[in-house]
Amino acid sequence: MKKSISIIASVAAAAAITTAASAYDINTDLGFGWSTSVTIGAEEFADVTTDTTVTITYKTDATLADLSGQDYWCIKPMVNDAGWPFISDLNGVELSESGDSYVIDVESSSISFTIPADALEHLQVAGMAIMGHGIELYEMTFSDEPVAAPAEDEPADTDADTGAADTTADDTAANTETTTPSKGNPDTGVPGVAVAAGAAVIAAGVLLASRRK
């Protein structure tokens, strides 16, 4: 009896995993001449919702970095219908500067996005066509997991930094007061000598004037 329960539980767990995430093998090198494309049937999007995270894994062609005019990487998902209209409002990916594809990070190996309702409606009828530049597509995965938010930098410890700055400033001021002589500092002897010399000159002048009289 326990063995039967264990088997049933295993089957249920496997079914849950299948529901939570599924994958479609693409395995297509799109090259860099915009002459290759791949289509994904409408049936693959039948259970996709606007909350489903779609992830495409890929490999980039690093040799394009050395080719003038070809040193960029992008992907262009379209509705597989007349004219192949570009899906320009996917959530979670960055549009290229020209606005007709999505930027691919050459140092990454996947992109993830969600599909808005209007585009999803078309995909569930006609499917998706994909073109691109400088990438080889491996797999498209559908998951209930949300698209990961960009990592945020931890805020700097402003109190600690301010305290350190204040301490340094105080130390600098203290050192300045201690080591920098002010005008007339007797340690230098220069102003005192000047005053003494001036007094001697004046006294000599008075003495000379009195003798002449």
Side-chain angles (χ1 to χ4, degrees):
M1 181 65 179
K2 289 183 179 180
K3 185 175 181 180
S4 299
I5 294 175
S6 177
I7 293 173
I8 293 173
S10 299
V11 171
I17 293 173
T18 302
T19 302
S22 58
Y24 176 82
D25 291 331
I26 303 176
N27 296 326
T28 301
D29 188 350
L30 297 178
F32 56 93
W34 292 99
S35 60
T36 304
S37 64
V38 61
T39 58
I40 302 169
E43 65 277 4
E44 300 298 331
F45 299 92
D47 297 325
V48 173
T49 71
T50 55
D51 294 324
T52 301
T53 295
V54 181
T55 299
I56 298 178
T57 55
Y58 58 81
K59 176 183 177 182
T60 56
D61 183 354
T63 63
L64 296 188
D66 300 324
L67 300 180
S68 177
Q70 303 292 337
D71 54 343
Y72 66 96
W73 299 263
C74 65
I75 188 170
K76 185 171 185 175
M78 304 165 287
V79 177
N80 187 29
D81 203 351
W84 276 2
F86 172 54
I87 307 172
S88 61
D89 53 357
L90 296 178
N91 303 309
V93 282
E94 178 187 357
L95 279 171
S96 63
E97 186 176 347
S98 58
D100 60 356
S101 61
Y102 291 100
V103 175
I104 287 293
D105 182 357
V106 68
E107 296 182 355
S108 182
S109 60
S110 68
I111 58 169
S112 296
F113 54 86
T114 58
I115 306 172
D118 54 346
L120 182 57
E121 183 178 349
H122 292 297
L123 293 176
Q124 290 174 335
V125 173
M128 178 184 285
I130 302 178
M131 296 185 73
H133 184 88
I135 57 175
E136 179 179 353
L137 305 182
Y138 290 152
E139 186 178 63
M140 177 180 283
T141 302
F142 306 95
S143 172
D144 293 336
E145 294 295 324
V147 176
E152 296 183 1
D153 295 333
E154 293 184 4
D157 189 350
T158 53
D159 293 340
D161 293 343
T162 303
D166 292 344
T167 302
T168 303
D170 292 342
D171 292 343
T172 302
N175 292 336
T176 302
E177 292 176 0
T178 302
T179 60
T180 304
S182 59
K183 292 182 179 179
N185 190 323
D187 292 342
T188 64
V190 175
V193 171
V195 170
V201 171
I202 293 172
V206 172
L207 179 62
L208 180 61
S210 61
R211 288 180 178 178
R212 287 180 179 178
K213 288 179 180 182

